[in-house]
């Protein structure tokens, strides 16, 4: 009896995590044990699984994998695709790359992290981008999301898409302002048999044009959302609110839900990039922001939770759910959290800036990181994910923060909040190992209780 890996399954590994399967349709990775890995390695169409030399434990694992569709029966010699064979990346594991393929934009957003209207971070050449794609494949990256600037301003956008797909990586998200989304683009994506989620920027009903700096931007964003939904693409929204626009939160969410948007993530505008030019004039205080969020919660529940909502780290609720969570509660409160990384997302998702610099996340663009980050046009991604200031930063643990930050070390919430978000700490004027003032305020002013009260009101 012979088996081979299902064509959507590839065997992968990384330093310290040598055994995994990667699903090539979703790009997601699942780590497995050595016995499971050994059993799956026999499923290459060349090994008779019923042979007495195959241990019963391996035969049992293979039968279970067959039931789950991970392997399928085959004729002797059918074999597997070269891409599916085991590939050990000579670096640490990263699940996903969030990549700014350009620092240019067709709008003039007041709050752009990258100062894209002036193209501060420029744009790499096609050849440089193709080299980065090769590097992503060498590091066994399974998923890629494309952002900018505005990614659709690149004339070679589809060439880069094709290069990513040729390496069997999954493009799971495209971030765009929507202005250049048209039927031709969507037909091109459909022709490639891909269906990425589109994340559209939308900064409040009646305020989007002001924030984006170009009249008609709101109308074009709405047009893009409708077109995407009509063509079967999932749409999410990211919104940045100011003191002037925060009162539109409820109306904005209900409006977008009516358009078929599945998810919205909101944040106050951060003091970095272009927004520094506003000199704090439109900034929300933390009290103003949280009071607006509290006012929104019972209205959202009364509307039947019509879409999935994440209000920063304050409140998260899935569409139609009767329960919510708060991402301010990052850790479980046990002493084991002392060895948890400061940002679990940054440990698995990397951000590649428009100039090729690696950062833990896009909001850290333009903020004062404690050390210089590697640029993968000057070094290699494998090297950066092996030994670099970037790896040191994303691998920093909570105990290091508490050793540096005495206020957090003395706080009763330290094993739950973990000091909060690192970008939040830096944008709030603290050090990289300082407090995130929003998260600190959340716990010290008992907002978990206030959210529960509003949710149940």
């Amino acid at each position: 009896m012979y088996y081979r890996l299902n064509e959507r399954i590839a065997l992968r590994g990384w330093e310290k995590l040598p055994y995994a399967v990667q699903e090539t349709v979703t790009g997601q990775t699942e780590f497995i044990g050595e016995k499971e890995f050994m059993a799956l390695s026999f499923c290459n169409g060349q090994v008779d699984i019923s042979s007495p030399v195959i241990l019963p434990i391996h035969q049992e694992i293979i039968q279970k994998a067959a039931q789950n569709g991970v392997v399928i029966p085959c004729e002797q010699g059918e074999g597997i695709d070269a891409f599916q064979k085991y590939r050990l990346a000579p670096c640490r594991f990263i699940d996903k790359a969030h990549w700014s393929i350009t620092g240019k934009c067709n709008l003039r957003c007041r709050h752009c992290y990258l100062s894209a209207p002036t193209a501060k971070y420029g744009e790499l050449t096609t050849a440089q981008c193709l080299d980065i794609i090769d590097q992503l494949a060498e590091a066994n990256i399974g998923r890629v999301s494309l952002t900018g600037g505005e990614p659709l301003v690149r004339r070679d956008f589809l060439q880069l898409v094709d290069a990513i797909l040729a390496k069997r990586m999954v493009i799971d998200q495209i971030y765009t302002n929507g202005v250049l989304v048209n039927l031709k683009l969507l037909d091109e994506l459909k022709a490639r048999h891909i269906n990425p989620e589109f994340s559209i920027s939308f900064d409040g009903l009646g305020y989007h044009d002001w924030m984006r700096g170009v009249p008609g931007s709101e109308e074009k964003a709405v047009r893009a959302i409708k077109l995407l939904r009509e063509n079967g693409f999932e749409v999410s929204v990211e919104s940045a609110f100011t003191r002037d626009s925060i009162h539109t939160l409820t109306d904005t969410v209900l409006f977008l839900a009516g358009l078929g948007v599945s998810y919205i993530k909101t944040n106050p505008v951060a003091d970095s990039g272009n927004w520094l030019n506003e000199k704090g004039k439109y900034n929300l205080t933390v009290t103003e922001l949280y009071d607006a969020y509290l006012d929104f919660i019972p209205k959202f529940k009364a509307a039947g939770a019509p879409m999935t909502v994440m209000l920063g780290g304050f409140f998260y609720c899935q569409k139609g759910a009767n329960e919510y969570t708060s991402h301010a509660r990052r850790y479980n409160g046990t002493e084991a959290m002392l060895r948890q990384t400061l940002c679990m997302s940054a440990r698995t998702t990397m951000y590649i800036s428009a100039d090729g610099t690696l950062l833990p996340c896009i909001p850290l663009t333009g903020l004062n990181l404690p050390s210089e980050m590697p640029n993968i046009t000057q070094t290699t991604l494998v090297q950066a994910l092996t030994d670099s200031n970037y790896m040191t930063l994303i691998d920093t643990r909570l105990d290091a923060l508490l050793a540096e930050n005495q206020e957090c070390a003395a706080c009763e919430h330290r094993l739950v909040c973990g000091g909060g978000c690192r970008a939040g700490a830096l944008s709030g004027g603290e050090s990289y190992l300082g407090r995130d003032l929003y998260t600190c305020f959340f716990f010290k002013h008992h907002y978990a209780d206030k959210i529960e009260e509003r949710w149940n009101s």
Side-chain angles (χ1 to χ4, degrees):
M1 182 178 294
Y2 296 85
Y3 286 88
R4 63 177 176 84
L5 295 173
N6 188 305
E7 62 184 11
R8 71 175 192 270
I9 300 297
L11 298 180
R12 294 292 181 263
W14 295 263
E15 284 186 8
K16 299 188 177 182
L17 294 169
Y19 307 122
V21 291
Q22 200 169 75
E23 220 273 10
T24 60
V25 175
T26 65
Q28 295 180 335
T29 298
E30 180 182 352
F31 293 99
I32 58 178
E34 185 175 3
K35 290 179 181 178
E36 288 77 13
F37 174 82
M38 182 62 70
L40 293 182
S41 69
F42 293 142
C43 298
N44 58 9
Q46 309 295 326
V47 177
D48 183 357
I49 304 303
S50 61
S51 169
V53 300
I54 304 299
L55 296 177
I57 183 61
H58 293 143
Q59 294 175 341
E60 182 181 339
I61 291 169
I62 291 169
Q63 292 302 321
K64 185 176 180 179
Q67 293 172 9
N68 294 331
V70 175
V71 301
I72 56 177
C74 69
E75 297 296 326
Q76 181 181 8
E78 275 191 38
I80 57 175
D81 190 296
F83 177 81
Q84 296 177 273
K85 295 179 180 179
Y86 182 55
R87 194 167 72 197
L88 178 66
C91 60
R92 301 288 296 277
F93 168 72
I94 289 288
D95 176 54
K96 176 177 176 176
H98 185 50
W99 182 16
S100 283
I101 58 174
T102 180
K104 299 177 181 179
C105 188
N106 52 349
L107 298 183
R108 297 189 294 272
C109 304
R110 295 173 181 267
H111 64 317
C112 181
Y113 291 123
L114 278 70
S115 302
T118 60
K120 179 179 178 179
Y121 292 91
E123 182 178 279
L124 298 179
T125 66
T126 301
Q128 288 174 308
C129 287
L130 293 176
D131 179 66
I132 286 177
I133 292 168
D134 288 342
Q135 293 188 53
L136 292 171
E138 186 181 6
N140 284 348
I141 303 297
R143 298 184 293 154
V144 180
S145 61
L146 302 177
T147 186
E150 169 52 49
L152 300 182
V153 302
R154 285 197 71 118
R155 295 175 182 269
D156 59 359
F157 177 78
L158 289 173
Q159 182 181 352
L160 299 185
V161 167
D162 288 337
I164 293 168
L165 299 179
K167 296 294 184 180
R168 306 277 286 275
M169 292 181 285
V170 174
I171 300 172
D172 64 348
Q173 289 176 301
I174 297 173
Y175 288 72
T176 173
N177 57 40
V179 171
L180 297 176
V181 172
N182 55 39
L183 189 57
K184 180 181 179 181
L185 169 69
L186 304 188
D187 285 345
E188 292 282 6
L189 297 179
K190 289 178 184 178
R192 290 160 171 79
H193 305 291
I194 61 173
N195 190 29
E197 173 193 297
F198 277 77
S199 182
I200 304 288
S201 304
F202 193 87
D203 298 318
L205 278 171
Y207 287 86
H208 186 74
D209 282 6
W210 178 84
M211 184 71 88
R212 297 288 156 176
V214 175
S217 299
E218 183 169 329
E219 179 183 351
K220 291 176 180 178
V222 172
R223 176 200 57 79
I225 292 170
K226 291 179 178 178
L227 183 64
L228 287 162
R229 294 300 299 129
E230 289 168 1
N231 284 273
F233 289 87
E234 187 171 347
V235 179
S236 63
V237 161
E238 294 213 5
S239 296
F241 285 96
T242 69
R243 179 175 289 167
D244 287 357
S245 64
I246 190 65
H247 71 277
T248 70
L249 175 59
T250 300
D251 289 343
T252 297
V253 168
L254 296 182
F255 171 74
L256 293 172
L259 296 179
V261 173
S262 60
Y263 169 83
I264 185 170
K265 178 182 179 182
T266 75
N267 276 302
V269 183
D271 273 328
S272 65
N274 280 0
W275 194 247
L276 293 173
N277 297 327
E278 306 297 338
K279 303 185 184 305
K281 182 178 178 181
Y282 305 101
N283 286 14
L284 283 156
T285 67
V286 63
T287 302
E288 289 171 334
L289 178 68
Y290 285 177
D291 285 351
Y293 284 170
L294 288 174
D295 181 62
F296 166 82
I297 287 169
K299 298 174 183 177
F300 172 73
K301 185 180 180 184
M307 65 192 299
T308 299
V309 165
M310 177 184 281
L311 306 178
F314 188 86
F315 172 86
Y316 174 82
C317 181
Q318 291 187 330
K319 178 180 179 178
N322 292 316
E323 297 179 347
Y324 67 88
T325 58
S326 173
H327 289 180
R329 302 182 65 87
R330 298 154 60 84
Y331 302 147
N332 66 18
T334 67
E335 292 291 324
M337 296 300 99
L338 292 171
R339 294 302 300 156
Q340 182 58 263
T341 53
L342 290 179
C343 180
M344 288 175 273
S345 175
R347 188 57 195 83
T348 57
T349 301
M350 67 181 179
Y351 169 62
I352 307 173
S353 184
D355 64 357
T357 300
L358 291 192
L359 292 173
C361 67
I362 191 169
L364 286 172
T365 304
L367 297 176
N368 294 320
L369 289 172
S371 53
E372 186 176 345
M373 294 294 102
N375 185 300
I376 56 173
T377 67
Q378 301 164 9
T379 184
T380 66
L381 179 58
V382 163
Q383 179 59 41
L385 296 180
T386 302
D387 181 19
S388 71
N389 290 334
Y390 173 79
M391 278 306 305
T392 300
L393 210 62
I394 68 170
D395 217 24
T396 303
R397 310 300 170 116
L398 179 56
D399 55 6
L401 182 145
L402 298 181
E404 176 75 18
N405 185 332
Q406 294 307 305
E407 184 169 358
C408 284
C411 179
E412 62 180 310
H413 306 294
R414 65 190 181 281
L415 297 178
V416 178
C417 83
C421 171
R422 297 303 87 213
L426 284 169
S427 64
E430 298 268 319
S431 70
Y432 186 78
L433 296 179
R435 296 175 300 152
D436 171 7
L437 301 183
Y438 281 87
T439 301
C440 191
F441 195 89
F442 179 95
F443 283 100
K444 291 190 174 180
H445 292 268
H446 311 290
Y447 274 94
D449 295 335
K450 295 175 183 178
I451 292 172
E452 185 176 4
E453 179 183 346
R454 293 299 180 95
W455 181 257
N456 294 321
S457 64

